[in-house]
């Protein structure tokens, strides 16, 4: 039987050592607690994030290895560059956070369910209101065609989810975000869990211990608090 630590409701800053997370399922660290702004900020600063379904308790994860992007090493294929020039989409930040979260939560053909439930939506909207969660929007003349959202603490950005309504929409959001983060001296973007799509865009895997060291260092640096709505790409 798996014995997981249960987070204390009155201690939002306290998490188990991430290196004590389970190997199977990879990175499962603890359960319980809440999704308060204080607890979420503490979690991301320590290399921990929540991920659970509606019928589960809040589960906290820190997988090994960790999937990240170096913001100056994003791979943009020639075909994607041509598409971005041809389509002329506009990239903005923090202009439609709620809409981006809802689009990320919508069922997909290969994934009819979603882990972005109402509790998560409320929690990350609270983070957004406090200047910690941010969205990237990609617009055509018809409206949103793609986007992503994530959490920024200091100079650490942790990506949470992305979506595409038009082919290439999420890639355009990722390109826009990495351009901005590189200009603002955010050296990495946490992508959490590896998949082939991320690897094709230049993501790499690093040991959890290395990621945690970098997360703690970067989250303590001066960042870009507040809204990013006036950011330019």
């Amino acid at each position: 039987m798996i014995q997981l630590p249960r987070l204390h409701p009155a201690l939002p800053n306290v998490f188990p050592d991430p290196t004590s997370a389970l190997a199977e399922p990879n990175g499962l660290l603890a359960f319980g607690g809440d999704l308060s702004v204080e607890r979420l900020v503490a979690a991301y600063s320590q290399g921990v994030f929540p991920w659970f379904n509606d019928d589960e308790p809040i589960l906290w994860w820190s997988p090994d290895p960790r999937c990240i992007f170096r913001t100056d090493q994003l791979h943009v294929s020639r075909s994607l560059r041509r598409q971005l020039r041809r389509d002329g989409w506009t990239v903005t930040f923090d202009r439609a956070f709620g809409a981006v979260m809802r689009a990320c939560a919508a069922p997909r053909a290969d994934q009819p369910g979603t882990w972005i439930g109402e509790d998560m939506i409320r929690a990350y909207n609270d983070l957004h209101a406090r200047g910690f969660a941010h969205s990237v929007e990609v617009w055509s003349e018809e409206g949103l065609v793609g986007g992503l959202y994530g959490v920024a603490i200091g100079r650490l950005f942790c990506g949470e989810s992305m979506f595409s309504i038009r082919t290439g929409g999420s890639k355009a959001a990722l390109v826009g975000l990495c351009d901005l983060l590189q200009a603002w001296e955010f050296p990495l973007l946490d992508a959490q869990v590896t998949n082939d799509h991320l690897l094709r865009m230049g993501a790499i895997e690093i040991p959890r211990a290395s990621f945690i060291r970098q997360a703690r260092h970067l989250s303590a640096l001066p960042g870009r608090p507040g809204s990013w709505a006036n950011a330019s790409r």
Side-chain angles (χ1 to χ4, degrees), residues 15 39-50 60 66 115 120 124 127 149-153 156-160 190 192 211 215-216 219:
F15 285 84
R39 192 180 299 273
L40 287 169
V41 169
Y44 284 103
S45 300
Q46 299 174 59
V48 177
F49 60 88
W60 301 90
R66 192 71 162 231
W115 56 270
M120 293 285 276
Y124 284 79
L127 276 177
Y149 75 96
V151 176
I153 303 169
L156 172 69
F157 191 93
C158 302
E160 277 295 310
D190 173 29
Q192 299 179 347
F211 174 77
R216 289 173 172 164
S219 63

Side-chain angles (χ1 to χ4, degrees), residues 129-152:
R130 293 275 293 273
F132 292 110
H134 304 281
S135 59
V136 185
E137 304 90 20
V138 182
W139 306 89
S140 72
E141 293 180 356
E142 292 76 31
L144 272 177
V145 296
L148 63 82
Y149 75 96
V151 176

Side-chain angles (χ1 to χ4, degrees), residues 39-216:
R39 192 180 299 273
L40 287 169
V41 169
Y44 284 103
S45 300
Q46 299 174 59
V48 177
F49 60 88
W51 184 26
F52 60 99
N53 296 315
D54 281 342
D55 59 348
E56 297 174 332
I58 301 173
L59 301 176
W60 301 90
W61 303 77
S62 186
D64 188 18
R66 192 71 162 231
C67 182
I68 68 162
F69 287 94
R70 300 293 182 193
T71 57
D72 62 349
Q73 296 178 17
L74 184 70
H75 175 65
V76 184
S77 67
R78 291 181 180 177
S79 61
L80 178 58
R81 291 186 188 278
R82 286 196 298 269
Q83 180 189 3
L84 297 180
R85 288 196 298 268
R86 181 185 70 240
D87 292 338
W89 291 338
T90 300
V91 177
T92 62
F93 302 87
D94 283 354
R95 301 290 180 86
F97 184 87
V100 168
M101 271 210 80
R102 291 286 178 184
C104 289
R108 307 177 190 191
D110 60 344
Q111 184 182 328
T114 179
W115 56 270
I116 306 174
E118 292 300 321
D119 288 345
M120 293 285 276
I121 289 172
R122 283 191 294 270
Y124 284 79
N125 271 285
D126 288 345
L127 276 177
H128 177 62
R130 293 275 293 273
F132 292 110
H134 304 281
S135 59
V136 185
E137 304 90 20
V138 182
W139 306 89
S140 72
E141 293 180 356
E142 292 76 31
L144 272 177
V145 296
L148 63 82
Y149 75 96
V151 176
I153 303 169
R155 291 188 198 166
L156 172 69
F157 191 93
C158 302
E160 277 295 310
S161 186
M162 59 177 62
F163 77 97
S164 289
I165 294 174
R166 294 260 300 272
T167 300
S170 62
K171 292 180 180 179
L174 185 59
V175 171
L177 176 60
C178 281
D179 283 351
L180 183 70
L181 294 179
Q182 185 180 359
W184 283 354
E185 298 182 338
F186 284 60
L188 65 81
L189 189 166
D190 173 29
Q192 299 179 347
V193 180
T194 307
N195 63 47
D196 290 341
H197 171 70
L198 299 177
L199 293 176
R200 286 193 293 270
M201 292 288 292
I204 61 173
E205 292 182 328
I206 64 173
R208 176 173 53 207
S210 175
F211 174 77
I212 291 170
R213 285 195 299 271
Q214 293 179 70
R216 289 173 172 164

Side-chain angles (χ1 to χ4, degrees), residues 20-31:
S20 68
L22 299 178
E24 183 59 41
N26 182 12
L28 182 56
L29 177 67
F31 76 101

